[in-house]
Amino acid sequence: MSDTRAALVAAAIDTLRESGFATASARRIAQRAGCNQALVFYHFGSVTDLLVAALEEVSAQRMDAYRCLLDRTGTLTELIDSAREVFEADLEAGHVTVLTEMISGAQSVPGLGPRVAACLAPWREFAREAVRGVLAASPVARLVPADEAAHAVVAGLLGLEMLASLDGDQAAALALFDRARALGDILDRIRPLAALLDLGGAARANTREDS
Amino acid sequence: MSDTRAALVAAAIDTLRESGFATASARRIAQRAGCNQALVFYHFGSVTDLLVAALEEVSAQRMDAYRCLLDRTGTLTELIDSAREVFEADLEAGHVTVLTEMISGAQSVPGLGPRVAACLAPWREFAREAVRGVLAASPVARLVPADEAAHAVVAGLLGLEMLASLDGDQAAALALFDRARALGDILDRIRPLAALLDLGGAARANTREDS
DNA sequence: GTCTATACTTGGATAGAC
DNA sequence: GTCTATCCAAGTATAGAC
């Protein structure tokens, strides 16, 4: 890939993160990339196409980091710990901001929505796999289908990111991870008792389905 | 309040909802309101000020609807039912879209962030009150502080709205409310058993604090 | 209060020199 | 591939007629 191409993509990411979708013009991005405005159209055809390329780049980067984590997630507690680690880094680096800016910006550009959705698909698929892995070993598997739980997780991360960027403070978001971790521990401690409740029937039924 | 003023606010709300922050210009909004572009500046001073007025209007409208619901929420199940009802209406009418567009748009306009945050404050305060009311009668009160739970609820709603607008489908969001309702029922059934677990200690300790 | 007209700025996009 | 130059559309904002 060309050198300026990469510079433009990087500048587009920075612009989306720091100034948002509404100011992400060819001129501003090119200035940040240290090159001419016309190169945006030469390399990408349009500003929108450059922004999509930027989102794809962020997506690809994050997927690499995420997959490394999926290997070391057995229990719910472990998953939450890993998720917190990744999310904190993403929050700090502004990766999720790029995503939320593109999602809301998609309302303003006809045809952009499906393209953004396509970039988000791997994130959602990853969340589904991670959640499925944890639920398989948990008695709540039948209470909360993996698809729904994954949707809730992705929505929660997007919402936490928006509030963090609005407040200029990510402490509230990180505190929720710590809380989730504590609840995960309790769920682990409850598990042996599940058989005493009617929850046990659901859990066993689910185990049979899996085999 | 002047007639055109109201028309401009209404047009701004519609524009934010249907075309997003990036296209919400004085010309477009004025055209939608059926009046001249210059009136935006005469009545509001700037486009940004008009958009803030639009968000304030939506906020005020929703607060009225929300407070009517707070009266009839005793149990967790009732709260979730009410929340689903309101959220479904908001999703349909696009009230939350206006909010998410303004939050992400705030990245693009210096000084807009705090003003949007001020509009969001009543929503967050309301969520805090609603959550507090339910948690007071629940054994999980000490496990999840009301402030944190409310933050999670607001973040969740924002995220669900973004995904719904991206997918053009709010079924996944509504399904999560149904799931939350089912989990709420289970929590109610678990409550009598809480005293048998170490959760009971926390719940009783909390009850003492309240008295 | 509302309109027209206008000044000024920024942005998307292309043509053509190098 | 990269730049300059340019066209045109759209935006913010103001002045002034009505």
Side-chain angles (χ1 to χ4, degrees):
Chain A
M1 180 161 79
S2 150
D3 205 36
T4 25
R5 244 190 98 95
L8 282 171
V9 168
I13 292 173
D14 291 346
T15 304
L16 280 172
R17 188 185 58 221
E18 291 174 21
S19 312
F21 183 90
T23 69
S25 68
R27 285 179 152 86
R28 273 177 83 111
I29 296 172
Q31 185 181 14
R32 185 153 207 158
C35 72
N36 192 274
Q37 162 256 155
L39 291 179
V40 168
F41 304 95
Y42 173 79
H43 282 290
F44 298 93
S46 72
V47 175
T48 299
D49 288 350
L50 168 56
L51 295 180
V52 170
L55 179 57
E56 283 168 348
E57 171 66 21
V58 169
S59 254
Q61 277 180 19
R62 298 328 297 156
M63 281 308 109
D64 286 346
Y66 291 178
R67 291 197 200 291
C68 295
L69 285 171
L70 200 66
D71 303 332
R72 19 185 193 113
T73 59
T75 70
L76 182 57
T77 306
E78 283 170 6
L79 177 66
I80 294 171
D81 278 347
S82 298
R84 189 209 147 110
E85 194 180 323
V86 173
F87 185 65
E88 186 169 9
D90 281 1
L91 217 55
E92 199 80 42
H95 296 127
V96 198
T97 304
V98 172
L99 182 56
T100 56
E101 286 295 325
M102 287 298 286
I103 292 177
S104 56
Q107 298 285 322
S108 301
V109 180
L112 181 53
R115 301 177 69 185
V116 173
C119 287
L120 183 52
W123 299 49
R124 301 170 87 162
E125 181 58 34
F126 173 84
R128 208 173 295 127
E129 288 303 317
V131 166
R132 200 192 309 276
V134 165
L135 287 189
S138 166
V140 291
R142 203 149 206 288
L143 292 172
V144 184
D147 281 2
E148 285 184 18
H151 192 81
V153 166
V154 173
L157 295 185
L158 292 179
L160 287 177
E161 151 63 31
M162 296 203 80
L163 289 179
S165 77
L166 184 66
D167 296 336
D169 168 34
Q170 53 203 48
L174 296 178
L176 272 170
F177 274 92
D178 296 335
R179 187 67 53 187
R181 197 205 135 97
L183 290 178
D185 283 344
I186 288 176
L187 273 182
D188 285 343
R189 275 189 285 152
I190 279 184
R191 199 183 307 181
L193 281 149
L196 298 174
L197 310 175
D198 50 354
L199 302 182
R204 278 194 304 276
N206 188 61
T207 305
R208 271 200 303 275
E209 279 172 11
D210 284 347
S211 63
Chain B
M1 181 164 77
S2 151
D3 205 35
T4 25
R5 243 190 98 94
L8 282 171
V9 168
I13 292 172
D14 291 346
T15 305
L16 280 172
R17 189 185 57 222
E18 291 175 21
S19 313
F21 182 91
T23 69
S25 67
R27 285 180 150 85
R28 273 178 84 112
I29 295 172
Q31 186 182 15
R32 185 154 207 158
C35 72
N36 192 275
Q37 163 257 154
L39 291 180
V40 168
F41 303 95
Y42 173 79
H43 282 289
F44 298 92
S46 72
V47 176
T48 299
D49 288 350
L50 167 56
L51 295 180
V52 170
L55 180 56
E56 283 168 349
E57 169 69 18
V58 169
S59 255
Q61 278 180 18
R62 298 330 295 157
M63 281 308 109
D64 286 347
Y66 291 179
R67 292 198 199 289
C68 294
L69 285 171
L70 200 65
D71 304 332
R72 15 183 195 115
T73 59
T75 69
L76 181 58
T77 307
E78 282 171 6
L79 177 66
I80 294 172
D81 278 347
S82 297
R84 188 209 147 109
E85 193 180 323
V86 173
F87 185 65
E88 185 169 9
D90 281 1
L91 216 56
E92 199 79 44
H95 297 127
V96 197
T97 303
V98 173
L99 182 57
T100 56
E101 286 294 326
M102 287 298 286
I103 292 177
S104 56
Q107 297 286 323
S108 302
V109 179
L112 181 53
R115 302 177 69 185
V116 174
C119 287
L120 183 53
W123 299 48
R124 300 170 88 161
E125 181 57 34
F126 174 85
R128 208 172 296 128
E129 288 304 316
V131 165
R132 200 191 310 276
V134 165
L135 286 189
S138 166
V140 292
R142 203 145 205 291
L143 292 172
V144 184
D147 280 3
E148 285 185 18
H151 192 81
V153 166
V154 174
L157 295 185
L158 292 179
L160 287 177
E161 151 63 29
M162 296 203 79
L163 289 179
S165 75
L166 184 66
D167 296 337
D169 168 33
Q170 54 203 47
L174 296 179
L176 271 170
F177 275 92
D178 296 335
R179 187 67 53 187
R181 197 204 136 98
L183 290 178
D185 284 344
I186 287 176
L187 273 182
D188 285 343
R189 276 190 285 152
I190 280 184
R191 200 181 308 180
L193 281 150
L196 297 174
L197 310 176
D198 51 352
L199 301 182
R204 277 193 305 275
N206 187 61
T207 305
R208 271 200 303 274
E209 279 172 12
D210 286 347
S211 63

